[in-house]
Amino acid sequence: MFKDRNPEVLVVGAGPVGMLAGLALNKRGAGVEIVDTGVWPCQHSYALALHAASLDLLEKYGLAPAVRAGAYAVKGLALCDKGGEKLAITVRDIMVTRQDALESLLEGALKSAGVSVHWRHEVFSLEPGETAVRATVNRLGKESRGYAVAHTEWVVEEQRKLEVPFVVGADGYNSQVRRTLGIKFPETAPADYYAVFEFETDANLQNSIRLVFGHDTTDVLWPLPGGSARWSFQLPGYADPQVEEMKKRLADAGLGYIPTERTKDRTEGSPGDLLPELDESHLAKLLDERAPWFAGKVGKVAWKTLVRFEKRQAESYGSGRMWLAGDAAHLAGPAAIQSMNLGLQEADDLAASLAAVLKEGASTAVLEEYNTRWTAKWKKLSQLKITPGAHAFVQRHAAQIAACLPA
Ligand SMILES: Cc1cc2nc3c(=O)[nH]c(=O)nc-3n(C[C@H](O)[C@H](O)[C@H](O)COP(=O)(O)OP(=O)(O)OC[C@H]3O[C@@H](n4cnc5c(N)ncnc54)[C@H](O)[C@@H]3O)c2cc1C
């Protein structure tokens, strides 16, 4: 099952953050295994931009040239409203690249380094102890079931017990590592719903990300590689009744700190297509109301989805032998892609701290310092203020703009 029968670090989750953590640990000589319940890397663009600091990080691992080759280079942010562009901000280096492309690249780099991602492997339980964590990992497989109507179900094909010195919880919003540690995950701001449309277009996107501010909306126009674009529209009046009901029940039970599942990915061909919010006539209406200046053609729609973004911050990044990175520790809004970008940096920092303990005999205090550093970083980000005396448009939309800036 595992190449390394007793890895020094078990990474739970093979999203971008877990895979980067695995790569960073491997490069520092630590024995690592990565497991993920998923069948393969993600299939959509999701968090689609890499900031300058993330690109610097990928440069360190020799991955930046490949990222740049397949990405759309952004030189600036255009701050807009319904009337058009109001202000342009130059940025050092942002590459728009699909999350699935980034994940494939990371998985390829891991493979070249001799580390395979164990897909269909679920961490079932974790028992942290003084010197090691006992982890039970299930390998999942599909089995035909049913007499009258045949169907397939996921079953446990094999169970494996491991004892590992450290666990990295890169297991996303509903992190089992975080839950095992009993770390609360309170909301820091109300959740927002977004309708996302990706389509081919002939629009001249001018190497800019357009942030479009309305009275209670922040919409984003992303240029995508290959002559496409993504519009993300905030839907302030929308609420998914099922999700909101679940959220209320959790709050009533005193469990408001548990994230509700993200609205299911409503992709092409799924029942979600029937949602009026994802109808192309709704896209036309949103463009007309919020960005009538968008002159590009709306060509073939390649992906559309309705997603609920919660904003949460874990009360701590971990303790003892289990530590968090990425969405397992924080959830942010979609406009600045902060959760993934900072998550990548956390992964590298955590890997360096773990390698210092494992390979150089450093004290575990370096892990406490990791916690302090990143807690402070997110606190600073949440308190970001626009300086008085800024452009009137910036002052008017100060809070919205602060949430859109690269981390
Ligand atoms: C539809 C959609 C649209 C999005 N759009 C945006 C956007 O516009 N902007 C933005 O900033 N972000 C967006 N995101 C969020 C973005 O994708 C995340 O911030 C990013 O994936 C975080 O990376 P991660 O590696 O921390 O976690 P994830 O990518 O969530 O990876 C966690 C992994 O852990 C695995 N896992 C969980 N539990 C276990 C377990 N017990 N055992 C083994 N494996 C486990 C999961 O299968 C998963 O693969 C979007 C997400 C979705 C779903």
Side-chain angles (χ1 to χ4, degrees), residues 362-379:
S363 135
T364 52
V366 295
L367 295 163
E368 295 297 342
E369 287 160 19
Y370 164 77
N371 175 43
T372 309
R373 214 164 23 251
W374 288 99
T375 304
K377 172 79 184 175
W378 278 94
K379 188 166 177 207

Side-chain angles (χ1 to χ4, degrees), residues 115-354:
V115 180
S116 26
V117 174
H118 301 282
W119 299 109
R120 292 188 290 113
H121 282 68
E122 177 184 42
V123 168
F124 176 69
S125 68
L126 295 160
E127 295 164 50
E130 196 63 31
T131 55
V133 182
R134 285 164 61 88
T136 304
V137 179
N138 289 339
R139 192 182 76 212
L140 307 172
K142 281 242 165 173
E143 196 169 87
S144 283
R145 291 274 170 94
Y147 179 67
V149 182
H151 63 279
T152 53
E153 274 178 18
W154 287 108
V155 294
V156 176
E157 287 182 343
E158 187 189 345
Q159 188 165 80
R160 177 79 186 265
K161 298 209 183 279
L162 300 174
E163 215 165 272
V164 290
F166 288 104
V167 167
V168 169
D171 48 348
Y173 72 96
N174 201 20
S175 168
Q176 188 176 353
V177 178
R178 186 187 67 236
R179 286 183 283 121
T180 303
L181 286 166
I183 296 172
K184 292 197 173 170
F185 200 36
E187 281 197 282
T188 51
D192 293 313
Y193 285 89
Y194 271 79
V196 175
F197 300 88
E198 280 182 13
F199 52 85
E200 290 169 6
T201 185
D202 58 359
N204 179 2
L205 298 165
Q206 297 172 320
N207 296 91
S208 275
I209 294 168
R210 286 180 173 68
L211 301 163
V212 188
F213 302 107
H215 158 65
D216 57 355
T217 52
T218 299
D219 306 322
V220 190
L221 169 60
W222 302 88
L224 288 171
S228 294
R230 175 199 284 192
W231 265 107
S232 301
F233 287 104
Q234 189 173 356
L235 303 180
Y238 179 84
D240 182 322
Q242 277 179 356
V243 173
E244 298 306 326
E245 172 63 22
M246 174 64 75
K247 205 174 140 53
K248 184 176 173 305
R249 278 197 213 169
L250 285 170
D252 290 349
L255 300 170
Y257 54 84
I258 295 179
T260 41
E261 200 173 335
R262 280 184 200 280
T263 306
K264 283 277 178 291
D265 194 6
R266 301 184 197 281
T267 54
E268 200 70 23
S270 77
D273 278 358
L274 302 175
L275 283 175
E277 287 76 14
L278 292 179
D279 196 274
E280 284 178 38
S281 62
H282 190 228
L283 167 61
K285 184 168 176 281
L286 289 166
L287 285 171
D288 191 45
E289 286 172 2
R290 302 191 194 175
W293 42 262
F294 179 74
K297 268 199 206 120
V298 177
K300 185 173 179 291
V301 176
W303 186 49
K304 52 188 178 176
T305 186
L306 203 141
V307 59
R308 182 176 192 272
F309 288 93
E310 293 194 351
K311 288 135 202 171
R312 292 179 181 266
Q313 188 72 43
E315 284 181 345
S316 131
Y317 272 79
S319 62
R321 308 221 146 244
M322 307 212 297
W323 296 88
L324 306 174
D327 272 24
H330 40 71
L331 298 175
I337 319 283
Q338 285 168 345
S339 199
M340 184 185 76
N341 277 278
L342 287 185
L344 293 172
Q345 292 173 51
E346 289 160 5
D348 191 53
D349 189 359
L350 178 55
S353 305
L354 289 170

Side-chain angles (χ1 to χ4, degrees), residues 74-122:
V74 164
K75 305 282 177 222
L77 304 178
L79 309 187
C80 311
D81 66 9
K82 188 182 171 173
E85 185 173 320
K86 300 294 174 219
L87 198 67
I89 303 175
T90 307
V91 291
R92 175 157 81 86
D93 195 8
I94 293 183
M95 288 285 152
V96 177
T97 188
R98 298 169 53 101
Q99 187 173 329
D100 50 356
L102 174 66
E103 291 190 11
S104 295
L105 205 68
L106 286 166
E107 192 181 9
L110 282 164
K111 207 169 167 191
S112 304
V115 180
S116 26
V117 174
H118 301 282
W119 299 109
R120 292 188 290 113
H121 282 68
E122 177 184 42

